[in-house]
Amino acid sequence: MRAIEAIPRVLREFAEHPGRSMTLADDDGLTRHLDRRMCVVAGPSFGVVTSIDTTESDLVNLLADVRGLIPEGVRTDWYLGPSMRPAGLADKLLALGLRVPEDGSDTLDALLLADEPSGVAEDVETHEVTTMSDFTDAAEVRWEAFQLGEEEREHQRGFLAAHYEGYLRGKDRSMISVVATVDGRVAGAASAILSSHGLFLIGGATAPWARHRGVYRALVGARWRYAVDRGTPALAVHAIPDTSSPVLRGMGFVHVCAMRHLEGRPT
């Protein structure tokens, strides 16, 4: 494991500000607004705001700009690192109407891996999502892992075909998804946003019946191999401190900084 001081500054910045270097396909349904004040990435069902660098007097204007960049009704997440300004940014945004997530993800660890991960389960098979069947199985694993109700699952199923087409357009250009199998069943799923510096890990989930069998670690290993094959051998992630973060640190990830996570589309 490398000490944080030995990791190039550009990779440390990637861990805090992954959206700045992500690659985008022209037709993958994602848009990015990047200027000196902020980075906003938006898709059909999500928006992410990060890299805020402004003054306290400009925050109201910045929120108005975000409203214009992210469609109404779209879930919006704000990831705030220590290099962002003004000081006390999270508290100021809370006062302006944002809220703390209810899922316990209000504080996150920005982690980085720049060497081959350790402890990857060798008896769990993984492969890239390349078929609608893979895509559907991955969605079902996520819904089961995060305990979505049947009504919400049925609603989401209505969009799977369209989301799969969008995934295919962006595959290997803006993102990649993988699944893990145990005993011939899809047991876990995960994705990554592609960047010029490495992969930013998102969406990791393990089916409850397959937990404690190395699925999570195998999914990390699959994305590491993908990063190496494309010539960008680094993984970054924003991990919950008392759940995924200890596992990832045990695999060799290095703590870069603490992040605050808020949510809400400013009104």
Side-chain angles (χ1 to χ4, degrees):
M1 181 190 301
R2 282 193 238 182
I4 185 62
E5 296 81 9
I7 294 175
R9 178 179 175 181
V10 66
L11 290 182
R12 299 198 301 269
E13 292 176 346
F14 165 53
E16 184 181 356
H17 308 289
R20 286 189 169 273
S21 59
M22 69 180 291
T23 59
L24 294 174
D26 293 337
D27 55 354
D28 61 4
L30 299 178
T31 61
R32 177 178 57 187
H33 171 87
L34 177 62
D35 62 25
R36 65 168 186 81
R37 297 163 64 229
M38 62 182 172
C39 177
V40 178
V41 177
S45 60
F46 73 92
V48 175
V49 186
T50 187
S51 300
I52 296 175
D53 185 2
T54 190
T55 62
E56 182 172 358
S57 61
D58 185 51
L59 278 179
V60 172
N61 293 329
L62 184 142
L63 294 181
D65 291 342
V66 170
R67 286 195 297 272
L69 294 166
I70 298 178
E72 187 173 358
V74 170
R75 174 189 171 97
T76 304
D77 293 283
W78 304 65
Y79 296 97
L80 314 173
S83 72
M84 298 181 200
R85 299 184 303 166
L89 177 59
D91 291 338
K92 290 177 172 60
L93 290 174
L94 288 169
L96 289 169
L98 300 190
R99 59 184 180 272
V100 173
E102 296 181 356
D103 62 2
S105 65
D106 54 309
T107 300
L108 300 169
D109 290 338
L111 306 178
L112 181 77
L113 181 74
D115 296 295
E116 184 175 2
S118 60
V120 176
E122 297 182 358
D123 58 344
V124 177
E125 296 184 358
T126 61
H127 64 268
E128 294 179 23
V129 171
T130 58
T131 67
M132 183 65 189
S133 176
D134 286 339
F135 195 78
T136 300
D137 288 343
E140 294 286 350
V141 164
R142 288 194 300 272
W143 299 338
E144 184 179 6
F146 297 119
Q147 301 180 329
L148 260 67
E150 186 54 40
E151 183 176 347
E152 179 60 23
R153 294 188 194 199
E154 193 60 33
H155 175 73
Q156 293 289 338
R157 288 186 185 107
F159 296 96
L160 278 180
H163 288 167
Y164 177 61
E165 291 300 319
Y167 165 72
L168 288 181
R169 289 192 295 270
K171 183 180 181 299
D172 299 316
R173 294 188 289 171
S174 61
M175 72 176 304
I176 186 67
S177 292
V178 296
V179 292
T181 58
V182 173
D183 299 331
R185 297 173 61 188
V186 172
S191 299
I193 300 297
L194 307 187
S195 157
S196 55
H197 300 311
L199 272 61
F200 184 76
L201 309 186
I202 61 171
T206 302
W209 62 266
R211 287 175 182 160
H212 310 296
R213 300 181 67 172
V215 171
Y216 184 84
R217 292 171 179 265
L219 292 167
V220 172
R223 288 172 289 178
W224 169 259
R225 292 189 295 273
Y226 184 92
V228 170
D229 288 345
R230 73 188 292 264
T232 54
L235 303 179
V237 64
H238 294 165
I240 296 177
D242 58 356
T243 56
S244 55
S245 184
V247 176
L248 292 166
R249 291 200 200 192
M251 297 184 73
F253 281 77
V254 176
H255 184 265
V256 175
C257 63
M259 305 285 294
R260 289 292 304 275
H261 174 210
L262 305 179
E263 63 182 17
R265 185 178 184 275
T267 57

